[in-house]
Amino acid sequence: MTTSDVRGLEQLERAVLDDTASLASALRQCLMLAGYAHHEELRAWALKELEGYPAADELPSYRKVPAPLEAEFVVNLPGYSHQVNTQRISVHRLPQSARERGIGESAPIRHGVRELEALIAISDRTVHLSPPGSAEYALEMTRQQQQSGQEFTDVTSLYWAIAKPSVEGLLDHIRTRLTQFVAEVRAAMPAGQQNPDPNQIDSAAQQALNITGGDGSTFNISAPHAKADRGGTASANVNEPAPATPQPWWHRTSVIWTAVAAVATIAGVIATVIVAK
């Protein structure tokens, strides 16, 4: 492969440096460049940012933003019109099932960048993002309200209220990573070289796109398995993998006794060999 085989760096550079251009357009340029360079990890990262991260995938740390939880309460008093009241709620007011799932004041944003661009374009101050299972949690919270004596109060929705600048900052973070990638490629190219070679692309991708997971560990990119849902409002839903089902006690016990039996069998064989000698 010659250096002319990896094309598209100039187009990507123009796209990332133009703040008026859509970030989705720049990512498509990155996708093409990665294709020319046969760089699977770079292609996978650009595609996930474009289409969204599947529910089963670990998110990069920059896609987890702090956000308060809010709920809408509707009071249905006899003889009065419905009164809607939006309240910021504590994590402790969530049903136990929601807390056990890890839902708190950190919102995972899995949507593709084009959808995020559309959401902030129609949002004034906040973007509402519903956690997985929010409808069931709202029903549980309604039952809690009724059990506490507020039988005329219904919880109609539960969501993260994400500040618009947080979503804009996420998009800017991705654009900055792309800009750093281009800068790293340029720095690796000697004077007079027109197009980068695959080794220079690979080195730049490692330097600029060294993404880490939410726990600070290295984030490995793999090919996406699903597309993010598309929406046209400033509210959206997010899907996350369900927690692993714990094994019953009898299953764990049987595994332990199977291991013990295997060890005893091996010990018996060794003893027989020693006696035979």
Side-chain angles (χ1 to χ4, degrees):
M1 178 179 292
T2 63
T3 56
S4 61
D5 290 327
V6 182
R7 302 185 296 274
L9 184 64
E10 290 186 4
Q11 293 90 330
L12 176 58
E13 184 174 356
R14 286 196 296 268
V16 297
L17 294 179
D18 184 1
D19 289 336
T20 64
S22 168
L23 177 58
S25 177
L27 283 166
R28 293 188 188 99
Q29 295 286 350
C30 180
L31 190 63
M32 291 300 299
L33 177 66
Y36 283 125
H38 302 283
H39 199 291
E40 295 300 325
E41 291 80 4
L42 183 58
R43 287 173 58 193
W45 175 77
L47 195 59
K48 285 175 186 286
E49 295 295 345
L50 279 166
E51 296 189 332
Y53 284 76
D57 282 15
E58 169 67 7
L59 281 177
S61 56
Y62 61 83
R63 275 184 166 264
K64 298 177 182 179
V65 301
L69 286 162
E70 291 187 356
E72 287 187 357
F73 297 82
V74 177
V75 181
N76 301 294
L77 290 173
Y80 293 89
S81 59
H82 293 178
Q83 298 179 2
V84 180
N85 181 23
T86 300
Q87 296 181 17
R88 181 167 296 184
I89 65 171
S90 165
V91 174
H92 300 292
R93 293 184 65 182
L94 291 175
Q96 183 177 352
S97 56
R99 298 196 303 270
E100 289 176 350
R101 196 170 183 179
I103 294 176
E105 296 183 333
S106 176
I109 302 181
R110 296 186 174 275
H111 303 74
V113 298
R114 188 66 189 93
E115 185 174 5
L116 294 177
E117 289 176 330
L119 285 172
I120 62 175
I122 61 175
S123 173
D124 292 332
R125 293 182 298 175
T126 59
V127 173
H128 293 171
L129 185 65
S130 298
S134 59
E136 290 297 325
Y137 300 148
L139 287 175
E140 290 186 49
M141 293 175 68
T142 297
R143 287 193 289 267
Q144 292 174 359
Q145 292 285 119
Q146 294 171 350
Q147 291 171 1
S148 64
Q150 303 182 52
E151 62 271 17
F152 299 112
T153 301
D154 294 335
V155 180
T156 57
S157 63
L158 173 69
Y159 50 82
W160 284 293
I162 307 172
K164 183 177 178 180
S166 294
V167 182
E168 292 172 333
L170 188 158
L171 296 175
D172 187 68
H173 183 95
I174 298 171
R175 186 182 292 273
T176 300
R177 281 184 178 270
L178 283 173
T179 305
Q180 184 184 355
F181 168 71
V182 173
E184 294 289 347
V185 176
R186 289 294 190 193
M189 293 169 59
Q193 184 177 345
Q194 296 299 317
N195 296 298
D197 60 43
N199 290 331
Q200 292 164 340
I201 295 293
D202 181 62
S203 177
Q206 292 182 28
Q207 292 292 327
L209 304 175
N210 183 23
I211 303 169
T212 58
D215 58 357
S217 60
T218 301
F219 184 80
N220 296 319
I221 297 290
S222 59
H225 306 290
K227 296 181 180 180
D229 296 333
R230 294 294 188 262
T233 69
S235 298
N237 295 319
V238 61
N239 294 316
E240 291 181 331
T245 303
Q247 295 291 347
W249 67 267
W250 54 261
H251 176 82
R252 296 194 296 270
T253 303
S254 64
V255 172
I256 293 171
W257 281 112
T258 300
V260 171
V263 172
T265 301
I266 294 172
V269 172
I270 294 174
T272 301
V273 173
I274 294 174
V275 170
K277 289 184 178 180

